[in-house]
Amino acid sequence: MGKSSLEKELTERQLDRIIEMAWEDRTPFEAIEFQFGLPEKEVIKLMRGNLKASSFKRWRKRVNSGVSQKHLKKRNPEISRFKCSRQKAISGNKISKR
């Protein structure tokens, strides 16, 4: 399966960070799109292409189960931010945690 044009433009470090953010239950898809310009559909393609099939299936099941907070619309309304209150402000910098 070929890589998408967006995926080809990403550095290995950016790719690792996107995968890490996608795995984090409390990081919504909107935060990934804000920081990297990748909409949910592209994140799903990226995860499918970079994880083992079993890992991808486990991730998709978790994202869609309600345990994860990946979708802002399904989120508890009391959660009003992308980040921990003790974390530095999200700057839009492509790699903010390294």
Side-chain angles (χ1 to χ4, degrees):
M1 189 172 183
K3 294 187 177 211
S4 71
S5 60
L6 276 170
E7 196 174 340
K8 288 176 189 169
E9 295 171 17
L10 296 170
T11 65
E12 191 173 334
R13 191 168 163 197
Q14 290 170 321
L15 187 61
D16 287 348
R17 182 65 189 126
I18 292 166
I19 291 169
E20 184 181 356
M21 289 173 80
W23 268 110
E24 293 167 351
D25 284 338
R26 293 216 262 165
T27 304
F29 286 113
E30 289 82 356
I32 298 170
E33 185 167 10
F34 172 77
Q35 199 168 334
F36 294 95
L38 280 178
E40 179 180 348
K41 216 177 240 189
E42 290 296 320
V43 173
I44 293 166
K45 281 186 200 172
L46 187 144
M47 294 295 274
R48 183 180 284 122
N50 287 280
L51 300 177
K52 291 188 300 184
S54 60
S55 297
F56 174 75
K57 285 176 187 165
R58 189 171 62 231
W59 175 75
R60 285 300 290 154
K61 187 176 180 182
R62 185 169 182 85
V63 165
N64 291 320
S65 71
V67 171
S68 171
Q69 301 290 315
K70 298 305 278 180
H71 298 97
L72 287 179
K73 289 177 185 144
K74 294 180 185 175
R75 214 171 218 212
N76 181 329
E78 291 175 21
I79 301 172
S80 60
R81 60 188 186 274
F82 287 162
K83 60 183 183 64
C84 170
S85 60
R86 295 174 301 283
Q87 183 180 338
K88 290 181 184 174
I90 294 176
S91 65
N93 180 353
K94 295 222 183 269
I95 304 290
S96 62
K97 283 196 167 180
R98 306 239 165 145

